[in-house]
Amino acid sequence: MSEEESSQDGNGKVNRVIRIGTRQSQLARIQTDSVAATLKELYSDVHLEIVGMTTTGDKILDTALSKIGEKSLFTKELENALEKNEVDLVVHSLKDLPTTLPPGFTIGAVLKRENPHDAVVLHPKHKGKTLETLPEKSVIGTSSLRRAAQLKKRFPHLDFKDIRGNLNTRLKKLDEKDDFAAIILAAAGLRRMGWENRISQILMPEDCMYAVGQGALAVEVRARDDDLLEMVSVLHDTDTVLRCIAERAFLRRLEGGCSVPVAVHTEVKDSQLYLTGAVYSLDGSDSLKETMQTSITATEKGLDGVDERLQRVGVTASKISGEAQDRAERLGTDLANLLLSKGAKEILTVARQLNDAR
């Protein structure tokens, strides 16, 4: 058990204090506040304290993420605090969490996914346009190799340039200067910030597939804290968990990170989980894309409880059918193996080398 504090209310009743770690950015705080509010509704006697921290990724703002070569850019400081018992839970964007977590940590909850797609935010002077109708050589801002690779191929008349900073900073750079005609951001972040009115276009999978885990929030805990794991497990959303296990297994098998263009699309329909996965060269000219599916209906055997200690790609979900989770994980691995058999490794190795040389 962690060293959580307790506080007394006016009636002398002891309330447990749980400290939640988060990045300092406005979006991270909004996301953490929403998780805290849900926990407060479910456990009214728990006192929640939010502890904001600055991560390496928040500090290095002059370098493209893909060039920094660090897998835990936005998570390491938060995990250090978790390890030292300075906080008890940490709220992350799932896409920031590596597919293999450091020993002693686990994802105890994956919440219902927001819209996972990417969105186009236009410079006010281009209001009403789309990527298709923007003038030749218009500059599009994105810090993601995945977005740039897909969109270069799809919209060859556009130019793509890195843009860093949190959401507020990027929008400011777009609006106040003339450097960019548009920027590409995750729709989920814009919606959570209440900036839906800035979304000019949602990019569908045929234009741009999303990042592994995009749009989902994750709660990371110490793997040994059984009572906290039990407490946050009620936040799990079954479909999101299964989709994200498949996506994370796909990425883990490909050994991808933000230094290579890997994209996914998942869907649960009629008890089937569909996973589309793709890898791209940096300019999008070379790519491999395949779709596979699996049944996620649990048989009688699959309902006999789940090994509570078992993690799948970093996720512990003891209340969701173990059989369904195993199938989702296998789906991700199988799809990655299919792409690897067709030459994915070569595409990703070249992409990594070219990115390092930039």
Side-chain angles (χ1 to χ4, degrees), residues 106-311:
T106 189
I107 296 165
V110 179
L111 286 79
K112 188 170 175 58
R113 196 173 208 166
E114 207 356 314
N115 182 334
H117 297 284
D118 288 319
V120 179
V121 180
L122 290 170
H123 188 289
K125 72 176 183 191
H126 291 299
K127 196 173 161 42
K129 290 197 166 72
T130 63
L131 290 184
E132 201 126 25
T133 59
L134 277 172
E136 191 83 22
K137 296 282 175 224
S138 291
V139 177
I140 311 300
T142 174
S143 56
S144 155
L145 295 179
R146 169 190 60 79
R147 290 171 181 149
Q150 294 179 82
L151 296 172
K152 278 176 184 172
K153 168 89 167 148
R154 184 86 179 76
F155 304 103
H157 69 292
L158 302 174
D159 286 342
F160 292 85
K161 249 189 166 152
D162 277 326
I163 184 168
R164 285 290 319 279
N166 59 36
L167 276 188
N168 311 51
T169 310
R170 290 188 207 190
L171 281 173
K172 218 172 142 125
K173 284 181 182 172
L174 172 70
D175 291 344
E176 293 181 6
K177 293 183 176 166
D178 237 356
D179 300 352
F180 299 100
I183 56 177
I184 314 293
L185 299 167
L190 289 161
R191 289 170 68 144
R192 289 188 183 118
M193 292 284 270
W195 293 340
E196 237 171 317
N197 63 330
R198 288 304 309 265
I199 296 176
S200 314
Q201 182 183 0
I202 295 277
L203 294 170
M204 289 291 106
E206 53 276 14
D207 288 331
C208 191
M209 295 203 301
Y210 41 83
V212 166
Q214 186 160 314
L217 297 182
V219 180
E220 189 179 16
V221 297
R222 290 177 289 264
R224 66 175 187 275
D225 281 352
D226 292 338
D227 53 344
L228 276 178
L229 258 173
E230 177 64 27
M231 182 182 171
V232 302
S233 68
V234 297
L235 300 173
H236 269 311
D237 175 71
T238 302
D239 281 3
T240 306
V241 168
L242 296 175
R243 288 170 65 186
C244 290
I245 284 177
E247 292 173 18
R248 285 171 65 79
F250 173 71
L251 185 64
R252 185 181 62 187
R253 179 70 189 93
L254 288 175
E255 295 169 10
C258 51
S259 58
V260 288
V262 174
V264 292
H265 177 257
T266 46
E267 201 177 359
V268 173
K269 213 160 118 191
D270 305 329
S271 303
Q272 293 282 316
L273 172 60
Y274 296 84
L275 169 65
T276 301
V279 300
Y280 303 88
S281 58
L282 288 192
D283 65 359
S285 60
D286 206 358
S287 65
L288 286 168
K289 179 169 152 188
E290 295 289 346
T291 302
M292 290 174 85
Q293 70 192 79
T294 189
S295 164
I296 47 169
T297 310
T299 58
E300 289 305 311
K301 166 180 84 72
L303 295 169
D304 292 346
V306 177
D307 177 355
E308 304 219 352
R309 287 275 165 206
L310 195 59
Q311 278 195 42

Side-chain angles (χ1 to χ4, degrees), residues 60 62-71 73-74 142-148 162-164 170 257-261 282 351-358:
I60 308 174
D62 55 352
T63 312
L65 291 180
S66 60
K67 298 282 285 175
I68 303 167
E70 165 65 72
K71 273 211 177 91
L73 271 181
F74 294 109
T142 174
S143 56
S144 155
L145 295 179
R146 169 190 60 79
R147 290 171 181 149
D162 277 326
I163 184 168
R164 285 290 319 279
R170 290 188 207 190
C258 51
S259 58
V260 288
L282 288 192
R352 200 176 267 118
Q353 288 166 347
L354 285 174
N355 184 53
D356 289 345
R358 282 200 305 171

